[in-house]
């Protein structure tokens, strides 16, 4: 993973005259397909029998660490990089998500070991992974919408869009705004539109955006999930069924992102596969999980080098990269501390607390799939060279830093504590009763 990132980085910056830069229009489908596979596997981990059996630990570990890390990181990013709230929360939610691409394979490998048979720790953490990713990706989408809103629908000049994104507010679309700006003349377009932006409650309000994202995400999940269950019961072959559902979810995610609802796209995919995990036959679910893992493995050799190749040292100041690494390192330390005490509150033993706090620092796949989202929107809205372009590169640098630090750290942590403490962690009665 780290090697693939560095390979792309070296090719872009050392052999730049000989390397063809891949257009963002080509890479966007790859990012979306990869994110769809990752979030789908997270959705499959949301199984009611596991959650009901360990409801309290699942909720604590799935909600508290990601939420507190996002709040801390948003404040830290706002202070260090001088980012306005929508940008700082976009960065924070993107970085704070645990990575199914790292956590899920590690936990599944542990469950295959005899010393881990019967342990409730891996199933609880798998279910908590789904909640963690759902919260982070939805928060990322809502924060991103607070920046860019529905700017793809607007016919206002690029200068207006640039001014709005620079201020960190929502870029909104209203017929009245366009008419007023046109009537005022080209000299007053930017100022007139900026005044009307303050009146745009439905798109500048984070609560309104949250309601839109959740409604579309859950509604789309219900439709796709029910359709998938119906297809399964009609005896459609498993390979065709899995590919069809995956393609439909990926298409839905692309459509929602194209219409300004990235959070709804992620929650739609997670919700759809959560329905599948609870209402489809177990054989179909297990086979689908293996195929989704194959889809991710297929995209991974292309995804991480492309992310590395997106880092142009001539365009991102070295101090930004250094500060991004320090900020993300601090955030990971905070997450580990929060995860340790959350595991304690959930009734886990000391060995389980130590194991969980390191594993829960794993970051890679979600950050890889989300890393270029802000840069793509800057390109889409023709905001290159503006302050929004600089902010998007700060977000990107923090995402890459999370990949470089979180993924290898979590894998090394599990290699040490998964083997050393397997005898202690493998007992199913390690959940202690709280007084």
């Amino acid at each position: 993973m780290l090697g693939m990132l560095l390979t792309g980085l070296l090719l872009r910056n050392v052999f730049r005259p000989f390397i063809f830069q891949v257009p963002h229009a080509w890479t966007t489908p790859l990012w979306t397909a990869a994110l769809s596979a990752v979030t789908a596997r997270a959705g499959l981990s949301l199984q009611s029998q596991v959650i009901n059996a360990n409801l309290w630990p699942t909720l604590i570990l799935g909600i508290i660490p990601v939420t507190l890390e996002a709040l801390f990181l948003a404040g830290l990013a706002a202070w260090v990089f001088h980012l306005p709230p929508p940008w700082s929360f976009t960065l924070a939610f993107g970085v704070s998500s645990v990575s199914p691409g790292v956590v899920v394979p590690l936990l599944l490998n542990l469950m295959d070991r005899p010393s881990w048979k019967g342990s409730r720790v891996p199933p609880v953490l798998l279910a908590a992974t789904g909640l963690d990713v759902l919260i982070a990706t939805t928060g990322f989408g809502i924060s991103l919408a607070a920046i860019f809103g529905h700017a793809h629908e607007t016919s206002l000049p690029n200068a207006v869009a640039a001014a709005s994104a620079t201020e960190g507010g929502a870029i909104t679309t209203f017929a009245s705004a366009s008419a007023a700006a046109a009537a005022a003349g080209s000299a007053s377009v930017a100022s007139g539109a900026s005044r009307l932006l303050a009146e745009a409650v439905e798109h500048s309000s984070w609560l309104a955006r949250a309601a839109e994202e959740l409604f579309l995400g859950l509604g789309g999940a219900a439709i796709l999930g029910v359709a998938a269950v119906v297809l399964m019961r009609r005896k459609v072959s498993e390979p065709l069924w899995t590919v069809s559902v995956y393609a439909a979810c990926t298409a839905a995610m692309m459509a929602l992102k194209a219409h300004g609802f990235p959070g709804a796209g992620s929650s739609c995919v997670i919700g759809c596969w959560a329905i599948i995990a609870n209402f489809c036959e177990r054989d179909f679910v297990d086979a689908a999980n293996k195929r989704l893992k194959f889809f991710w493995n297929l995209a991974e050799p292309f995804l991480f080098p492309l992310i590395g190749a997106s880092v142009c040292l001539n365009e991102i100041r070295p101090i930004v990269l250094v500060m991004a690494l320090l900020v993300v390192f601090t955030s990971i330390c905070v997450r580990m501390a929060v995860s340790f005490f959350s595991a304690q509150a959930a009734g886990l033993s000391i060995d389980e607390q130590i194991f969980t706090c390191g594993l829960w620092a794993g970051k890679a796949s979600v950050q890889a799939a989300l890393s270029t989202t802000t840069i793509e929107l800057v390109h889409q809205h023709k905001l290159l060279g503006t302050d929004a372009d600089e902010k998007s590169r700060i977000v990107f640098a923090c995402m890459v830093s999370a990949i470089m630090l979180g993924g290898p750290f979590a894998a090394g942590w599990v290699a040490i504590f998964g083997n050393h403490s397997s005898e202690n962690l493998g007992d199913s009665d390690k959940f202690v009763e709280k007084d």
Side-chain angles (χ1 to χ4, degrees):
M1 185 187 305
L2 185 59
M4 289 186 285
L5 276 173
L6 294 177
T7 298
L9 179 66
L10 290 174
L11 288 175
R12 173 68 184 276
N13 293 278
V14 178
F15 303 99
R16 188 174 183 179
F18 310 101
I19 300 298
F20 171 70
Q21 185 174 355
V22 181
H24 285 278
W26 295 9
T27 57
T28 298
L30 177 61
W31 311 128
T32 307
L35 181 60
S36 178
V38 168
T39 52
R41 296 191 74 193
L44 287 177
S45 66
L46 293 173
Q47 299 177 21
S48 59
Q49 64 270 26
V50 176
I51 295 177
N52 291 336
N54 304 284
L55 181 61
W56 184 239
T58 300
L59 292 178
I60 289 179
L61 294 172
I63 296 175
I64 293 179
V66 65
T67 303
L68 293 185
E69 184 189 8
L71 292 173
F72 170 81
L73 185 54
L76 184 62
W79 178 62
V80 173
F81 298 114
H82 306 290
L83 296 176
W87 280 101
S88 62
F89 275 98
T90 297
L91 185 156
F93 279 113
V95 170
S96 63
S97 174
V98 72
S99 172
V102 173
V103 172
V104 171
L106 291 173
L107 289 174
L108 293 178
N109 290 336
L110 289 177
M111 291 173 68
D112 292 334
R113 299 181 185 179
S115 58
W116 284 80
K117 294 293 184 182
S119 173
R120 291 183 292 178
V121 176
V124 167
L125 293 181
L126 284 172
T129 298
L131 289 176
D132 186 292
V133 175
L134 177 62
I135 292 170
T137 53
T138 302
F140 178 87
I142 293 170
S143 304
L144 197 64
I147 300 171
F148 293 97
H150 290 186
H152 60 280
E153 300 171 358
T154 186
S155 58
L156 292 176
N158 294 332
V160 180
S164 302
T166 299
E167 293 169 2
I171 301 176
T172 59
T173 314
F174 294 97
S176 58
S178 300
S186 58
S188 60
V189 167
S191 59
S194 297
R195 287 194 302 270
L196 288 172
L197 287 176
E199 303 172 5
V201 176
E202 64 172 322
H203 294 311
S204 64
S205 168
W206 287 39
L207 293 177
R209 289 299 304 174
E212 290 178 350
E213 296 272 354
L214 292 175
F215 175 78
L216 289 174
L218 296 178
I223 294 172
L224 292 176
V226 171
V229 174
V230 171
L231 283 176
M232 184 272 297
R233 293 180 178 176
R234 289 183 178 273
K235 307 300 181 183
V236 177
S237 64
E238 182 276 322
L240 177 61
W241 176 82
T242 301
V243 172
S244 299
V245 175
Y246 172 68
C249 288
T250 303
M253 179 178 281
M254 287 183 179
L256 288 168
K257 286 177 65 177
H259 287 80
F261 296 99
S266 299
S267 58
C268 173
V269 175
I270 292 179
C272 171
W273 288 95
I275 293 174
I276 290 171
N278 290 281
F279 292 97
C280 286
E281 296 177 0
R282 191 67 214 171
D283 292 341
F284 267 68
V285 174
D286 292 339
N289 190 38
K290 291 180 180 179
R291 295 190 188 279
L292 290 170
K293 180 181 178 181
F294 171 76
F295 294 151
W296 167 252
N297 291 337
L298 195 64
E300 188 177 24
F302 301 97
L303 185 65
F304 286 101
L306 282 174
I307 293 171
S310 299
V311 180
C312 182
L313 298 180
N314 292 333
E315 299 174 358
I316 300 179
R317 291 175 295 161
I319 186 63
V320 172
L321 292 175
V322 173
M323 294 305 296
L325 284 169
L326 292 175
V327 165
V328 172
F329 175 78
T330 305
S331 176
I332 289 176
C333 292
V334 169
R335 183 184 181 94
M336 290 181 65
V338 172
S339 299
F340 181 87
F341 290 109
S342 297
Q344 185 180 52
L348 275 66
S349 68
I350 185 63
D351 292 317
E352 292 165 341
Q353 294 167 34
I354 295 173
F355 175 80
T356 300
C357 75
L359 175 67
W360 231 223
K363 304 174 187 293
S365 54
V366 172
Q367 288 73 24
L370 295 178
S371 60
T372 60
T373 303
T374 53
I375 294 179
E376 289 170 3
L377 287 172
V378 165
H379 280 261
Q380 177 184 343
H381 303 313
K382 298 180 175 59
L383 301 177
L384 293 175
T386 66
D387 195 41
D389 188 17
E390 175 68 18
K391 290 181 173 66
S392 71
R393 297 186 184 280
I394 292 173
V395 173
F396 175 77
C398 289
M399 295 279 200
V400 174
S401 300
I403 297 170
M404 296 176 66
L405 296 176
F409 177 81
W413 189 275
V414 171
I416 295 173
F417 290 96
N419 292 326
H420 177 70
S421 302
S422 60
E423 293 183 0
N424 295 330
L425 293 170
D427 299 331
S428 60
D429 59 351
K430 276 293 182 178
F431 281 86
V432 296
E433 295 294 333
K434 303 298 290 181
D435 294 333

